Amino acid sequence: MNEMRDAATQTSERANAVETTYREAVREAIRDALRRDDRVFLMGEDVGRYGGCYAVSKGLLAEFGPERIRDTPLSESGFTGAGIGAAMAGMRPIVELMTVNFSLLALDQILNSAATIRHMSGNQFGVPLVIRMATGAGRQLAAQHSHSLEGWYAHIPGIKVLAPATVEDARGMLWTALQDPDPVLIFENVMLYNMTGGLAAAAGPVEIDKAAVRRMGDDITLITYGGSLWKTLAAAEALQGDAINAEVIDLRSLRPLDNDTILASVRKTRRALIVDEGWRSGSLAAEVCARIVEGAFFELDAPIGRVCSEEVPIPYARHLEEAAIPQTSKIVAAVKAIFGKAR
Amino acid sequence: MTATTDKPHLTREHSLDLLARMIRIRRFEDKSAELYTQEKIRGFLHLYDGEEAVAVGVIPVLGESDRIVATYREHGHALARGVPMGEVLAEMYGKQEGCCLGRGGSMHLFDSARNFYGGNAIVGGGLPLAVGLGLADRMRRENHVTACFFGEGAVAEGEFHESLNLAALWSLPVLFVCENNLYAMGTALALTESETDIQRKAACYRIAAEAVDGMDVVAVEAAARRAVRAVRETGKPYFLECRTYRLRAHSMFDAQLYRDNAEVESWRRREPILRFSEWLKANHMVHAEEIARIENAVADEIEQAVAFAEAGTWEPVETMTRYVCAEKQHE
Ligand SMILES: Cc1ncc(C[n+]2csc(CCOP(=O)(O)OP(=O)(O)O)c2C)c(N)n1
């Protein structure tokens, strides 16, 4: 795919980049897809007249009309299933679910239909569908709007699970996902929508099957994704003061996981810490940890660490919400503990 | 056969065709039950005995490019649609010569060449898919009809209501065919629905609806012609409730504690094959020898299907994980 730009070109282009928000980058990706391919349409609750619950699709209705920017009733299962059917019949729908919590009402369709149909039908039918949804805590939306369940979805064979953490990925992952013959779920962390970053004027599709090393280092590998990437990078900077040079890996794709990038880094640094906004028990962090143990056990100098969400429904009060999810200070402390340094 | 008029033209030839199609399904199901007791077929097996007039009345009215979504009780639908019997049976054996490589089994028959979108074993799960197929056709201005079959048990599911609303709201060419056999597993309709006149539910969504005697293949075909024509002409959904009865157990694991024999026997006297063949005989439209000829041809076909399934092979375990996702095209 020569259309796609690798990390190196992206970095060199950053110089003449324009400042844009993550939200605008997602919108531009949707707009671009709608322009490129008339099989593409966006469907979901309040994506049209309201402009999207996180204002992602604002303005698209006026540009593309109600056929392609399709407001749906509050029928998550119904319209997600409709997206599956439309994809099977040759369209390229983008289904937007307001948040991962509401996606549970469509879980039947995602797991029992979208993820199974290719295999169950002996490869006769595929479901080239993209489902986007917001995930994560930080806006004091309490216990029914703040969870990070992308790790659950990463459990399911037959779908791909993406977590764009940068403006480039927000802009670039959608089109590649739409080219995929199978269902792709894209998780947009709510705390990233207002984040700004430089985006090259020529920004376009990016690879979706590789993790990215966002910071080079030799002493420990910090593995994370989505909204936690920026906290982890901040922690890595802070650790520099303690003479700990951390490498930071952004998983980008939660299913499939890029084992090679993870293991190559851990073999170099000999230490690893995973930062995951999901709950610790049965988490994606646990899966990454297991893979490191399976693939690099004898190269480890220390037990693997994890910083995950506390095992509570995400609380409303700000201090509790902050305490419940990974924070830079917790990451710093966990890394120091691995190095046997007290706070 | 294309639906130019709503009335089935009951020539002798057409009558014999309807009869033969129903007998074919019935004998296939008989054989399946037998093969199940021999443990050739495993898992859940849901047989269609008593309901043949629905699939046979509706499916041949559809055109080749129309689409079908069915449930786990779908052998009859697959056969009526033309999925080769050998491939259906091999699938039920779990052989890789089956229509889904043996991965789906009895409940998950798919056939892309015949626009047969499966065998769905989630009650109500097929309805949103049918809405999406209709949506794709609507958006591309293609004049296909999607026929979606489901039991009356699905009516209690949220997906039923979501789907009817979406189909009506967006004006989608979907024909909803409710096979009301009065029981969802062991639970009678009256124990689960406040309104047991199922077709009335469509009215809340402003969907044209009718109920038909699902034990009368001619009546079902006439209703299906009206329905398919309405969908094709208006581009809007239509709801057809076929009132029928399941003569066998829900699946092979059902002691049928919820209904008594007398009830089943009373329905047996009204079952569609008996009823249609008696009517044809009374009207001198069919002779006993012709029925015998149909039975013989079906028996031959079944024998060949069994031989095909028996000769089938098991997919090697090494390839089991193929097609979880699409394979990359190698250039
Ligand atoms: C969502 C869901 N709930 C429960 C079941 C278990 N189940 C399988 S068939 C069935 C009865 C469905 O009855 P109906 O829709 O009337 O169809 P019928 O079997 O009579 O053809 C039930 C409860 C299921 N497969 N899916």
Side-chain angles (χ1 to χ4, degrees), chain A residues 77-78 89 108 119 124 182, chain B residues 99 103 112 140 159 162 320 326:
Chain A
S77 187
D108 164 48
H119 193 264
Q124 293 183 81
D182 293 306
Chain B
C99 56
R103 291 161 167 207
S112 57
R140 291 189 305 206
E159 288 184 333
E162 295 184 9
M320 178 176 70

Side-chain angles (χ1 to χ4, degrees), chain B residues 5-72:
Chain B
T5 61
D6 289 345
K7 269 228 174 99
H9 194 47
L10 261 196
T11 59
R12 248 173 54 79
E13 195 192 352
H14 184 50
S15 306
L16 280 173
D17 181 58
L18 289 175
L19 186 63
R21 284 171 177 274
M22 290 197 292
I23 290 176
R24 181 170 175 258
I25 294 171
R26 176 74 56 87
R27 297 292 169 254
F28 179 84
E29 298 292 59
D30 289 346
K31 190 67 182 182
S32 299
E34 186 189 321
L35 292 166
Y36 195 86
T37 59
Q38 294 171 21
E39 302 193 355
K40 299 283 186 184
I41 300 171
R42 310 302 303 269
F44 281 140
L45 182 71
H46 307 89
L47 302 177
Y48 199 50
D49 300 47
E51 308 185 39
E52 297 89 346
V54 180
V56 168
V58 175
I59 290 177
V61 171
L62 300 167
E64 255 179 43
S65 52
D66 292 334
R67 310 173 193 275
I68 295 175
V69 177
T71 70
Y72 47 86

Side-chain angles (χ1 to χ4, degrees), chain A residues 13-210:
Chain A
E13 282 171 359
R14 218 162 273 154
N16 56 7
V18 285
E19 281 285 296
T20 183
T21 64
Y22 185 97
R23 173 184 293 107
E24 284 160 359
V26 178
R27 182 185 307 141
E28 197 46 41
I30 298 171
R31 178 181 284 126
D32 183 34
L34 287 159
R35 282 193 187 138
R36 282 200 201 205
D37 186 343
D38 58 17
R39 299 171 305 172
V40 171
F41 64 101
L42 175 71
M43 145 164 88
E45 293 157 4
D46 285 315
V47 297
R49 285 138 192 101
Y50 188 90
C53 62
Y54 286 103
V56 166
S57 49
K58 207 167 146 196
L60 296 181
L61 175 67
E63 194 173 342
F64 296 98
E67 271 268 292
R68 299 184 73 200
I69 304 295
R70 190 170 279 267
D71 278 323
T72 65
L74 301 171
S75 305
E76 290 82 6
S77 187
F79 68 77
T80 302
I84 295 168
M88 290 172 79
M91 300 298 281
R92 289 292 178 276
I94 304 169
V95 166
E96 176 176 313
L97 290 163
M98 283 183 166
T99 82
V100 67
N101 287 82
F102 309 160
S103 79
L104 301 184
L105 283 83
L107 189 53
D108 164 48
Q109 288 296 328
I110 297 171
L111 173 53
N112 287 320
S113 290
T116 59
I117 279 172
R118 181 180 297 282
H119 193 264
M120 195 164 74
S121 72
N123 201 30
Q124 293 183 81
F125 292 104
V127 183
L129 168 70
V130 171
I131 303 175
R132 295 175 39 245
M133 65 187 98
T135 187
R139 291 176 168 245
Q140 284 194 267
L141 299 178
Q144 293 182 336
H145 290 72
S146 306
H147 289 132
S148 290
L149 304 178
E150 51 276 6
W152 281 9
Y153 284 101
H155 183 61
I156 305 173
I159 60 178
K160 298 196 170 100
V161 178
L162 306 181
T166 65
V167 168
E168 274 113 349
D169 280 349
R171 172 67 182 83
M173 281 183 165
L174 180 72
W175 180 255
T176 319
L178 282 166
Q179 304 310 296
D180 200 283
D182 293 306
V184 180
L185 272 56
I186 302 181
F187 288 88
E188 297 161 9
N189 187 289
V190 290
M191 298 312 285
L192 297 180
Y193 281 127
N194 290 332
M195 177 187 79
T196 56
L199 190 65
V206 296
E207 289 182 330
I208 56 172
D209 46 9
K210 294 232 160 35

Side-chain angles (χ1 to χ4, degrees), chain A residues 322-340:
Chain A
E322 282 173 358
I325 64 177
Q327 302 294 356
T328 300
S329 56
K330 285 193 199 175
I331 301 167
V332 169
V335 171
K336 286 188 184 173
I338 289 177
F339 283 90

Side-chain angles (χ1 to χ4, degrees), chain B residues 220-238:
Chain B
V220 174
E221 188 189 315
R225 283 173 183 275
R226 276 193 297 279
V228 170
R229 194 179 54 144
V231 175
R232 232 186 279 287
E233 283 178 359
T234 64
K236 291 183 182 165
Y238 196 97

